Amino acid sequence: MSTDLDLSGEDRTGTGRATGTGQYVVKALAHGILIVASALAIIPFAYALLTSLKPEEKIFSTMAQIIPAEPTVMNYVNIWMQNPLDRWIFNSLLLSAGVVFFTLLLDSLAGYALAKGDFKGQRFVYLLVVGTLIVPPQAIVVPLYIEMSQFKLVNTYWAVMFLYIANPFGVFMMRQFFLSVPDSYLEAARMDGCSTLQIYTRIMLPMAKPALSSLAVFTFTFIWGAFLWPLIILSDSAMYPLQVGLAGLTGQYSSQWGQLMAAAIIAALPVITAYLLAQKTFMEGIALTGSKG
Amino acid sequence: MISPATLAIVPLKIGTAGLNEPVWTGVIVFGFVTLAIGYLAFVRREFGAGIVLKLGTVLLFLLTLLSYFWPSRPWPH
């Protein structure tokens, strides 16, 4: 069986020994950096998980004791029973499903047109789309609110979704992917009698599965964590997504940290699940679209 | 003659939902996405849909039903 380990072993003679040692040092350094980065990402999550299992009254008195002495799930029960958490999760799922679906549809269409289309002003349109990436969303919140108000869409699910559908990053990502598809596929499909739309639906879309998958996970993660725009545009707490609902649980004078930690863990679960389900195609998509930097 | 203000009531009405009311936006969005994903997963063979897309279609259909039958679970529960 040929593996990387076997191949490196063949060179481990004479001067190759120094190279091999150097490689081990580089690998050890790389692993060290990765372990530290992973720890920085995992420790707060693990701390939140362990804190959510502590009784509310013992959270601050046992801060040094990481592992709870008497683990309890009462924080999970209380947060679920005292707040409309199921409705907030449902709202987040609704917004995510709508935004992810229409983002994939519109961004793949736009990316396909910008990569393989041949029309006047194509480059200008592309620059215009990518140029919007540099505009911070916070800077245009007020004009957007006025716009939604003019359309009578304030305090509706539509207003939240409209803002996030067809994001420029998705257009950029899909364009990058479609650029990597050889034109010979299109020419062959044309010779077989496919229209432009048929080439998109029957050839390009199935080929773009890895890119679509990674864009779906990116978008889902982003929408699941969206806070500012839903907070501004929605006024009815029954329509709040999970993040906005949870933010409302932090009081000015007191907060129930155990319940908040439990809610944070619950909020993280769908994102972790989405990533795990789409992990294989997600990694392929990252590699194919050149999003790895 | 139907005025624009009257027309605006429709998206406004179906775009909002009280705590114990049916979520019509959910019925529309989840329903539409279920049909689209279901078509890709079960009809279009060239898409090569895996188990995730097929189970996702079923999950989305259940969410469509949940959107419509939400008032049968009045709060608090």
Side-chain angles (χ1 to χ4, degrees):
Chain A
M1 198 171 130
S2 173
T3 63
D4 289 342
L5 197 64
D6 296 336
L7 289 171
S8 62
E10 288 171 10
D11 294 329
R12 212 174 295 148
T13 53
T15 54
R17 188 180 297 275
T19 313
T21 311
Q23 278 179 354
Y24 280 124
V25 171
V26 171
K27 271 190 179 178
L29 194 66
H31 278 88
I33 292 169
L34 288 172
I35 287 166
V36 171
S38 303
L40 285 173
I42 290 169
I43 285 172
F45 186 78
Y47 191 79
L49 176 66
L50 293 170
T51 305
S52 72
L53 296 173
K54 290 179 182 177
E56 186 72 49
E57 66 278 4
K58 289 189 178 172
I59 287 175
F60 286 101
S61 58
T62 60
M63 276 185 85
Q65 186 188 353
I66 310 263
I67 309 287
E70 297 163 5
T72 173
V73 291
M74 278 317 289
N75 288 322
Y76 290 87
V77 175
N78 288 337
I79 188 98
W80 193 271
M81 296 306 289
Q82 292 170 12
N83 300 284
L85 205 67
D86 53 349
R87 180 55 179 261
W88 293 341
I89 291 171
F90 177 82
N91 289 336
S92 283
L93 282 173
L94 165 58
L95 296 171
S96 304
V99 173
V100 167
F101 178 78
F102 287 105
T103 295
L104 294 188
L105 179 69
L106 297 177
D107 287 1
S108 60
L109 278 167
Y112 174 51
L114 289 170
K116 298 295 178 190
D118 183 21
F119 56 91
K120 204 174 176 182
Q122 188 180 10
R123 188 164 172 74
F124 175 71
V125 172
Y126 174 63
L127 287 175
L128 206 64
V129 170
V130 175
T132 58
L133 278 170
I134 61 167
V135 180
Q138 291 83 356
I140 53 169
V141 154
V142 173
L144 277 170
Y145 185 89
I146 294 168
E147 189 183 344
M148 292 301 165
S149 178
Q150 294 290 321
F151 285 117
K152 312 275 185 207
L153 288 175
V154 173
N155 195 32
T156 63
Y157 290 109
W158 307 123
V160 183
M161 286 193 262
F162 283 159
L163 181 71
Y164 296 115
I165 287 172
N167 65 46
F169 171 73
V171 176
F172 169 75
M173 194 171 160
M174 293 313 297
R175 179 185 174 270
Q176 292 303 105
F177 173 79
F178 285 128
L179 279 177
S180 69
V181 176
D183 285 344
S184 52
Y185 281 101
L186 278 79
E187 288 156 12
R190 280 245 186 267
M191 286 176 76
D192 284 343
C194 278
S195 66
T196 305
L197 192 64
Q198 280 175 324
I199 293 174
Y200 166 75
T201 55
R202 291 180 185 275
I203 311 289
M204 289 296 180
L205 217 50
M207 284 175 74
K209 245 170 59 175
L212 289 170
S213 173
S214 47
L215 181 59
V217 175
F218 274 135
T219 312
F220 180 80
T221 311
F222 182 71
I223 301 304
W224 192 263
F227 176 71
L228 184 64
W229 179 241
L231 177 72
I232 290 168
I233 204 74
L234 297 175
S235 53
D236 188 349
S237 66
M239 293 164 64
Y240 281 169
L242 188 56
Q243 306 300 338
V244 179
L246 294 184
L249 299 181
T250 313
Q252 188 178 0
Y253 301 108
S254 66
S255 299
Q256 291 182 307
W257 291 106
Q259 290 189 23
L260 276 172
M261 293 295 130
I265 297 299
I266 293 170
L269 290 180
V271 178
I272 295 169
T273 311
Y275 177 75
L276 289 176
L277 284 175
Q279 191 179 17
K280 190 182 160 204
T281 42
F282 180 76
M283 297 308 283
E284 285 174 18
I286 297 284
L288 284 170
T289 55
S291 305
K292 61 184 181 293
Chain B
M1 176 101 183
I2 301 170
S3 67
T6 313
L7 279 177
I9 291 172
V10 177
L12 193 67
K13 188 69 187 167
I14 59 174
T16 55
L19 197 57
N20 295 323
E21 294 173 2
V23 188
W24 286 107
T25 316
V27 176
I28 294 167
V29 170
F30 283 129
F32 188 76
V33 178
T34 304
L35 287 175
I37 301 292
Y39 175 68
L40 287 178
F42 294 104
V43 180
R44 297 295 289 272
R45 289 182 183 276
E46 66 263 36
F47 208 76
I51 191 75
V52 174
L53 269 187
K54 287 175 180 169
L55 281 179
T57 309
V58 177
L59 182 68
L60 284 164
F61 179 67
L62 292 176
L63 285 168
T64 312
L65 294 180
L66 183 63
S67 308
Y68 183 73
F69 290 107
W70 191 272
S72 64
R73 298 186 70 236
W75 185 262
H77 50 261

